[in-house]
Amino acid sequence: MSKTQEIFDLAAKGQLWAGHLIPGYVTSESKLETRTPIDDSLIGYIADGDAHTVDAAVKVARQTFESEVWSGLSPVARREVMMRWADLIKENAEELAALDCIDAGKPISECQNTDMPATIETFYFYAECIDKQFGKVAPTDDSALGLIVYEPIGVVGTVLPWNFPAQMFAWKVVPALAAGNSVIVKPAELTSLSAYRMVQLAHQAGVPEGALTLVCGLGEKVGKAIGLHSDVDMVAFTGSTEVGRYFLEYSAKSNMKEIVLECGGKSPQVVFDDADLDKAAPSILAAAFWNMSENCSCGSRLIVDAKIKDALLEKLKVGLSAWKLGDPRQADVNLGPMVEKAHFEKVMGYLDVSQKEGGKVVVGGKVHTELGSGWYIEPTIIDGVTADMTLFKEEVFGPLLAVTTFTTEQEAIQLANDSSYGLAASFYTQNIHRAHKVAKKIRAGTVSVNGFSEGSIATPFGGYKQSGFGGRDKGIEALEQYLQPKTIWFVE
């Protein structure tokens, strides 16, 4: 039996589990059901943590950090442990992909072929970076020597989203731990299973148990407690802008801990009249509907030159015909369900409002109640969306693509920037001069030209405006944000 089928069978029996991983802490009997969005069936349980659980994790993390059993290791020694962990992640990739599929309702093919390769790459990237960070020597005269060194911050809390469970774990936890910090992981209560397994593999690889702990439970209890704890030095959070604001408040009310936020998005896709529509159409669809559009960088606003709108929409309709909606455990399925009933109802509310405000459904718009949980929404393109409409302004996190037209280049740029968000953007043109000019003028953390992309593991990812605050994921920049500079000044 394959590991994938083994996970699916355990889920069918309701036997999957994610508990706290805190040395010396006895998990209470309090637990929460975890259900799969595929058919809303019970697949297992997670531990139900609270402020006392967080306090236990913080105490252990602080003691471990001060003991220097991890933070004091030589960079080479820490790299070796992290490389062993990366190897174990690679060896167990099939299991982790199956856990994310059943837990989040993500297509198994994407979990296996996209999410896990990117996750593994992240592990190796930061493991290799550990012994390649250098300090500086300040320019001085002969009477002094000024050294600028970089040290781990201390105890770092990572609060993770539900849409890419394994990959977001890697983006946050791996660089924070590689930098020498003690890290507390709080996975989303909807998708805790792969995080639990990856922390187990970390301990197996040799990461001290107190240097990497896991606390499961609800965000309003566990996440809030991490944010308010005065012995947590930093919190890295990915999720909604609304919750991101809470972490800024928690910091102000406690110890003014450092906060790194990667929040929402309403990313534009701008198509100029000289674009190659045949090449653009597949990328536009991927940006709009990949991962059921449950993606912060989702290209949910299609801003297209009025002269080519009809031609582009025809190509998008043809392209969408190849996207299969269904049970994400099947290898040929491209789109699964919304992650939970409340989110499904939220997305349906946006679909209803968009039509009441004058939007016209071009393709899609149907709900397939005959599939599993019934939370399956066809990828939907809505034409006639103007800048004053709800669908243009608010993040949906569901498969609704708003179509807006423009007539001039300046109007296109203005529409692209007409948002409180600024996480990502893409645009299509064959004019190299326009490409340079527009890329500079769009206010977003990642701008891709003639394709949809979030860059690579080597490029920083984060947003402008209400899409982010305090730092970046990926790239050397992510590792550096978990370090703090210190000046050491020697006087003759």
Side-chain angles (χ1 to χ4, degrees):
M1 180 187 297
S2 70
K3 198 66 181 179
T4 300
Q5 192 58 51
E6 182 180 332
I7 293 297
F8 291 167
D9 288 349
L10 288 171
K13 298 174 184 176
Q15 294 179 351
L16 296 174
W17 167 252
H20 310 312
L21 291 172
I22 308 167
Y25 182 79
V26 179
T27 299
S28 69
E29 294 182 358
S30 179
K31 59 186 179 182
L32 301 168
E33 289 185 348
T34 186
R35 311 181 75 88
T36 177
I38 296 173
D39 57 13
D40 198 29
S41 63
L42 179 72
I43 59 172
Y45 298 88
I46 68 169
D48 183 17
D50 55 23
H52 296 292
T53 319
V54 170
D55 192 53
V58 173
K59 286 180 179 177
V60 169
R62 177 62 62 190
Q63 291 167 0
T64 303
F65 183 76
E66 298 297 342
S67 74
E68 297 188 343
V69 65
W70 179 250
S71 60
L73 276 183
S74 72
V76 171
R78 202 159 64 243
R79 183 195 68 191
E80 290 176 352
V81 174
M82 295 292 288
M83 289 294 286
R84 285 198 296 271
W85 189 19
D87 290 341
L88 287 172
I89 296 296
K90 187 175 183 179
E91 291 170 16
N92 291 273
E94 183 184 354
E95 175 187 1
L96 294 169
L99 288 171
D100 277 2
C101 170
I102 202 74
D103 213 9
K106 296 167 61 71
I108 186 64
S109 58
E110 285 192 4
C111 293
Q112 292 174 338
N113 302 320
T114 302
D115 290 18
M116 284 315 303
T119 298
I120 293 164
E121 181 184 32
T122 302
F123 272 80
Y124 282 116
F125 181 87
Y126 289 111
E128 288 285 6
C129 284
I130 291 173
D131 61 346
K132 298 169 184 68
Q133 293 293 299
F134 295 87
K136 304 174 185 176
V137 178
T140 64
D141 59 27
D142 292 341
S143 66
L145 173 64
L147 303 181
I148 304 168
V149 299
Y150 296 88
E151 300 178 343
I153 287 173
V155 176
V156 175
T158 57
V159 182
L160 309 179
W162 46 258
N163 55 341
F164 293 89
Q167 195 172 347
M168 294 303 99
F169 178 103
W171 280 19
K172 289 281 192 288
V173 175
V174 177
L177 191 67
N181 297 288
S182 289
V183 180
I184 301 167
V185 185
K186 192 281 175 195
E189 57 265 29
L190 294 175
T191 54
S192 299
L193 299 176
S194 62
Y196 177 70
R197 184 67 181 123
M198 286 191 285
V199 173
Q200 286 182 320
L201 293 173
H203 298 160
Q204 182 180 330
V207 175
E209 292 184 0
L212 182 60
T213 56
L214 181 83
V215 182
C216 295
L218 299 173
E220 56 262 37
K221 293 198 296 183
V222 175
K224 181 178 181 179
I226 291 172
L228 286 171
H229 204 292
S230 290
D231 207 21
V232 172
D233 300 299
M234 179 180 183
V235 170
F237 166 79
T238 291
S240 70
T241 300
E242 177 186 5
V243 177
R245 286 192 175 99
Y246 287 136
F247 280 98
L248 296 177
E249 293 179 12
Y250 300 153
S251 173
K253 291 177 179 178
S254 56
N255 59 336
M256 294 182 67
K257 59 177 63 65
E258 293 189 42
I259 302 291
V260 173
L261 302 177
E262 194 270 277
C263 297
K266 192 69 180 174
S267 301
Q269 301 193 73
V270 181
V271 186
F272 291 100
D273 62 355
D274 65 337
D276 184 329
L277 299 187
D278 289 322
K279 291 183 178 179
S283 289
I284 291 169
L285 293 176
F289 300 120
W290 170 49
N291 200 54
M292 294 72 72
S293 308
E294 295 171 335
N295 178 21
C296 292
S297 65
C298 170
S300 56
R301 292 187 295 145
L302 180 58
I303 300 170
V304 56
D305 190 301
K307 295 192 295 293
I308 61 167
K309 184 197 73 172
D310 291 341
L312 176 59
L313 289 182
E314 285 302 314
K315 292 182 183 297
L316 295 180
K317 285 191 284 186
V318 172
L320 266 186
S321 65
W323 287 58
K324 182 178 179 180
L325 178 72
D327 187 329
R329 291 169 293 192
Q330 298 174 3
D332 62 341
V333 164
N334 307 102
L335 297 162
M338 297 290 94
V339 73
E340 62 173 342
K341 185 177 182 180
H343 186 58
F344 164 78
E345 292 174 345
K346 173 189 171 185
V347 175
M348 291 304 298
Y350 278 111
L351 178 58
D352 183 53
V353 167
S354 70
Q355 293 175 86
K356 287 181 178 177
E357 293 183 349
K360 178 184 176 182
V361 173
V362 175
V363 63
K366 296 180 181 178
V367 177
H368 287 258
T369 55
E370 79 281 5
L371 294 174
S373 62
W375 307 335
Y376 293 75
I377 305 173
E378 287 183 351
T380 303
I381 299 175
I382 301 172
D383 193 11
V385 177
T386 56
D388 60 338
M389 291 170 60
T390 302
L391 194 61
F392 187 91
K393 296 178 180 179
E394 297 185 15
E395 182 179 37
V396 177
F397 230 60
L400 308 182
L401 175 61
V403 180
T404 305
T405 58
F406 67 88
T407 57
T408 68
E409 181 180 292
Q410 184 56 42
E411 183 186 7
I413 295 169
Q414 182 179 347
L415 286 167
N417 288 332
D418 187 9
S419 174
S420 59
Y421 299 107
L423 184 59
S426 56
F427 67 92
Y428 296 83
T429 180
Q430 297 185 77
N431 184 322
I432 189 64
H433 301 292
R434 171 183 279 164
H436 281 287
K437 180 169 61 174
V438 174
K440 289 177 65 176
K441 290 188 176 181
I442 292 180
R443 293 185 52 76
T446 298
V447 178
S448 57
V449 184
N450 290 328
F452 167 66
S453 178
E454 293 180 350
S456 73
I457 186 57
T459 60
F461 180 82
Y464 289 19
K465 298 184 276 188
Q466 293 182 33
S467 287
F469 178 89
R472 291 289 190 266
D473 289 317
K474 303 196 305 175
I476 296 298
E477 290 81 358
L479 181 65
E480 291 175 343
Q481 74 190 6
Y482 297 109
L483 297 165
Q484 54 189 349
K486 174 186 283 185
T487 295
I488 302 175
W489 193 262
F490 293 90
V491 178
E492 185 179 62

